Amino acid sequence: MLQIIVTIILYLIMVIPVGIYVYHIAAGKHTFADPVFDRVDGVIYKISGIKPQNGMNWKKYALALLGTNAVMILLGYIILRIQSIALFNPNGIGNMEESLSFNTIISFMTNTNLQHYSGESGLSYLSQMLVITFMMFVSAASGYAACVAFIRGLAGKTKDNVGNFFADLVRITTRVLLPFSIIGGLLLVWQGVPQNFSGNVVVDTIEGVKQVIAMGPVAALEIIKHLGTNGGGFLGANSSTPIENPTIISNLIELYSMMLLPGACVITFGKMVRDRKREIAAAKNGGEAESELAGMGKVRRSFTVWMYGREGRSIFAAMGIIFVIGLSVCFWSESQGNPALADVGLSQSMGSMEGKEVRFGIAQSAMFTTTTTSFTTGTVNNMHDTLTPLGGMIPLLHMMLNVVFGGKGVGLMNMIMYAILAVFICGLMIGRTPEYLGKKIEGREMKLTALCIIIHPLLILAFSALAVGTQAGLAGITNPDFHGLSQVLYEYASSAANNGSGFEGLADNTLFWNITAGLAMFFGRYLSIVIQLAIAGSLMKKRFVNESAGTLHTDSFSFAVILVFVVYIFAALTFFPVLALGPIAEHLTLWA
């Protein structure tokens, strides 16, 4: 438990400077690195014909995002289909099959990185670099760009300009993802993660048998898979292998890499909304402006407000509460051990160590498991299929919620949908038109919000029902009873949440699973982003309303608690029945 507490405290310290830096990037403010990056960005703008000063409305922004991603999907698919060429292919890997290529390219472009193959045997080094690693950068940058545009819309500084997608894509890649990846990649190489173009090595083990040890540009992929909350492993066993994750230090590097930027998104949101409020106050005349600015001077004395902004603080607190609750349940459940193993004479004094690395133990395994599914990364340092029923329910539940920090910007956008829902419910209780960030929430916004929230559970439950109701789906289920249903739910929850981790008990490299999971990833990613940008576009055109005695303050801790309850109530209404048939029933059976 002490390990977990120290890990979280260090994260809360580290996320502050990262959040401030990302805020400056998103808001177009000056940073210490501008003299270098301005030149780099200028060259890219000139070659690509990008005019960063040309703003876009939400529709143009969404079309630019979709169009750019579509072109990358096509090019990546072609490379996977011809990867058997000799270029960067020392291990002689063949071309990837059609349906698997479709699943893989959709997976990596949607920031999901679900893998129905083993990286060391399914991809050439060319594909690992030009498709996998490249997609990890642009998919993360695309999600972050959408989030920045969404925040600009909520801040409402203009009526129809959410920024320029191409400029945002470039700036996020060059100023955030690339420099952080270079530093983190060198740290991983320092810890022993390979970075080369050598062929696989065959060695004699102490048992007297031959073993193939994978080589390749592992560190470069490893750092961006965490930093970009991607998750796809160079190897099939992902970060549970010593090649990808050799030491406790490398484990912490990977852990913080996937935590920092999603947390920084919340800080960026809080500070950009705070800037808008300051501009409104500064634009007012006379004593009213002086009074409001003086009030803001008092606010600045609060460290948490300075760090997150008032609105960002409540969102961060709500996310943090859900994360800590989930982490506590996962750690407790894994610490209790497995009674089935105890019955055959295996000591459970260390907890349930099945599928876990001894060098990480229960604490770091539970922390990594909860983090990777809360921040929708998908990387694993232990096998989730071997988690205890309740321990496995937490990562499943957090992917179903998809709001506990989430991936690059997407988790924040989803949580704000629940914030809009929360102010609507509270508004109904007091008979007042709901407001959020100084804008009235009316019929159009609520319809879009409801649609956005419903899409996620619909994808998970509909595809799960299809899988257990058809012969093609049943053929991939290798475990009977409750655990088999949990595996199906996990597959589609992971796909719809753009997470990518799996219980790994499914025979999922088939036409049915490749296509259905690919569709869940595609719609789970792009439908939500387009709807959320539409909501931001609608709100930014509205006039700001003055606060009154009936205004619900969304910048308080009490609102954070309300938000937590709304999220859990929605989860109970949509997912509790199927969870009761899966992990909960398995737990009751196991401990009966």
Side-chain angles (χ1 to χ4, degrees):
M1 180 60 76
L2 180 60
Q3 292 183 44
I4 293 175
I5 294 173
V6 172
T7 302
I8 293 175
I9 291 174
L10 289 176
Y11 166 67
L12 294 175
I13 295 172
M14 294 169 62
V15 76
I16 300 172
V18 175
I20 293 173
Y21 175 72
V22 172
Y23 154 68
H24 279 80
I25 300 300
K29 296 183 179 295
H30 176 74
T31 69
F32 68 92
D34 282 351
V36 175
F37 289 128
D38 283 346
R39 296 182 180 180
V40 174
D41 292 350
V43 172
I44 297 174
Y45 294 154
K46 187 173 182 180
I47 294 174
S48 305
I50 298 172
K51 297 180 179 179
Q53 69 277 8
N54 292 351
M56 300 176 176
N57 60 30
W58 76 266
K59 293 180 181 178
K60 290 182 179 179
Y61 201 98
L63 287 174
L65 187 153
L66 294 175
T68 303
N69 282 200
V71 171
M72 294 175 184
I73 286 173
L74 176 61
L75 294 176
Y77 180 84
I78 293 172
I79 293 174
L80 292 176
R81 296 289 294 127
I82 63 171
Q83 69 172 356
S84 62
I85 60 177
L87 183 63
F88 292 111
N89 191 12
N91 299 316
I93 305 295
N95 295 330
M96 187 174 280
E97 182 266 335
E98 292 94 332
S99 69
L100 183 57
S101 296
F102 166 79
N103 180 277
T104 301
I105 198 62
I106 293 296
S107 175
F108 281 85
M109 192 65 254
T110 58
N111 202 234
T112 310
N113 294 200
L114 183 75
Q115 293 175 287
H116 287 177
Y117 62 91
S118 291
E120 66 269 36
S121 60
L123 294 174
S124 68
Y125 293 170
L126 180 71
S127 293
Q128 293 276 26
M129 292 185 294
L130 289 187
V131 179
I132 305 305
T133 305
F134 172 75
M135 290 291 186
M136 286 181 175
F137 276 98
V138 293
S139 65
S142 295
Y144 222 143
C147 180
V148 170
F150 180 72
I151 295 172
R152 292 189 188 117
L154 295 180
K157 294 184 179 181
T158 65
K159 297 295 183 182
D160 60 355
N161 182 8
V162 296
N164 185 297
F165 169 73
F166 303 109
D168 289 339
L169 186 73
V170 170
R171 286 172 59 85
I172 292 165
T173 302
T174 59
R175 297 166 187 256
V176 180
L177 297 179
L178 274 173
F180 280 53
S181 293
I182 291 172
I183 297 171
L186 291 174
L187 291 174
L188 289 178
V189 171
W190 165 56
Q191 285 300 299
V193 179
Q195 178 67 24
N196 56 52
F197 294 108
S198 305
N200 293 345
V201 177
V202 180
V203 299
D204 294 311
T205 67
I206 57 176
E207 290 87 359
V209 298
K210 301 289 185 180
Q211 180 178 349
V212 178
I213 298 179
M215 292 285 113
V218 181
L221 184 148
E222 196 68 19
I223 186 61
I224 188 57
K225 91 171 186 184
H226 291 96
L227 195 64
T229 60
N230 296 286
F234 194 95
L235 308 177
N238 214 285
S239 287
S240 62
T241 66
I243 294 176
E244 290 196 18
N245 190 9
T247 68
I248 188 63
I249 295 178
S250 69
N251 190 70
L252 290 173
I253 293 170
E254 295 177 6
L255 188 70
Y256 289 132
S257 294
M258 60 175 140
M259 296 175 76
L260 283 175
L261 293 183
C265 279
V266 183
I267 294 177
T268 299
F269 163 72
K271 288 182 176 294
M272 289 180 72
V273 171
R274 180 196 63 188
D275 287 348
R276 184 259 297 167
K277 290 185 176 181
R278 285 179 174 175
E279 290 177 7
I280 293 175
K284 293 181 180 179
N285 297 318
E288 184 182 356
E290 293 177 5
S291 174
E292 188 157 349
L293 287 171
M296 288 188 174
K298 294 179 181 179
V299 166
R300 282 195 293 269
R301 295 173 188 171
S302 168
F303 175 75
T304 56
V305 171
W306 169 82
M307 185 170 65
Y308 300 107
R310 294 182 67 86
E311 299 290 346
R313 179 179 60 179
S314 61
I315 296 293
F316 197 96
M319 291 177 170
I321 290 170
I322 300 175
F323 177 80
V324 170
I325 292 173
L327 175 60
S328 300
V329 173
C330 184
F331 175 73
W332 172 83
S333 183
E334 295 306 305
S335 299
Q336 300 307 300
N338 188 326
L341 296 178
D343 290 342
V344 297
L346 295 178
S347 172
Q348 298 297 290
S349 60
M350 293 177 61
S352 179
M353 286 297 293
E354 181 187 8
K356 298 179 179 63
E357 287 290 313
V358 176
R359 66 185 187 276
F360 302 140
I362 295 294
Q364 287 300 324
S365 295
M367 181 71 187
F368 208 94
T369 295
T370 308
T371 299
T372 192
T373 47
S374 298
F375 292 77
T376 64
T377 307
T379 181
V380 297
N381 75 348
N382 64 93
M383 292 297 102
H384 290 189
D385 195 38
T386 62
L387 293 169
T388 59
L390 292 185
M393 186 185 73
I394 293 304
L396 178 58
L397 176 62
H398 282 196
M399 291 188 297
M400 289 174 167
L401 298 177
N402 201 21
V403 297
V404 193
F405 292 101
K408 291 295 165 292
V410 177
L412 172 64
M413 294 164 75
N414 290 338
M415 182 59 94
I416 291 177
M417 295 299 100
Y418 281 96
I420 292 174
L421 180 62
V423 298
F424 176 75
I425 293 173
C426 293
L428 289 178
M429 295 173 68
I430 62 175
R432 179 184 173 89
T433 302
E435 302 167 11
Y436 187 61
L437 302 180
K439 300 289 185 74
K440 286 188 178 295
I441 305 298
E442 298 176 307
R444 173 179 169 81
E445 293 78 36
M446 281 313 305
K447 290 174 184 177
L448 289 172
T449 299
L451 179 61
C452 186
I453 291 175
I454 289 172
I455 285 173
H456 185 62
L458 177 63
L459 291 172
I460 297 171
L461 299 177
F463 278 118
S464 296
L466 182 65
V468 298
T470 60
Q471 188 57 44
L474 291 172
I477 302 174
T478 59
N479 284 274
D481 302 327
F482 309 120
H483 194 75
L485 178 60
S486 296
Q487 289 177 322
V488 173
L489 288 171
Y490 198 103
E491 177 78 2
Y492 290 116
S494 180
S495 299
N498 301 133
N499 179 268
S501 63
F503 264 10
E504 306 305 337
L506 290 173
D508 50 19
N509 187 13
T510 64
L511 180 64
F512 174 87
W513 289 98
N514 285 336
I515 298 301
T516 56
L519 293 174
M521 290 185 281
F522 181 84
F523 291 121
R525 172 76 163 183
Y526 294 114
L527 283 180
S528 297
I529 285 179
V530 171
I531 293 172
Q532 288 159 345
L533 287 176
I535 293 172
S538 177
L539 288 175
M540 71 189 302
K541 294 179 180 179
K542 294 190 174 187
R543 295 176 57 187
F544 288 99
V545 295
N546 294 324
E547 290 186 2
S548 66
T551 300
L552 173 66
H553 290 279
T554 57
D555 55 5
S556 62
F557 182 76
S558 60
F559 181 75
V561 175
I562 292 173
L563 197 50
V564 170
F565 274 101
V566 169
V567 171
Y568 276 135
I569 289 171
F570 179 81
L573 292 173
T574 52
F575 294 118
F576 180 77
V578 74
L579 290 174
L581 295 173
I584 295 176
E586 184 182 3
H587 171 79
L588 295 175
T589 303
L590 188 64
W591 287 87

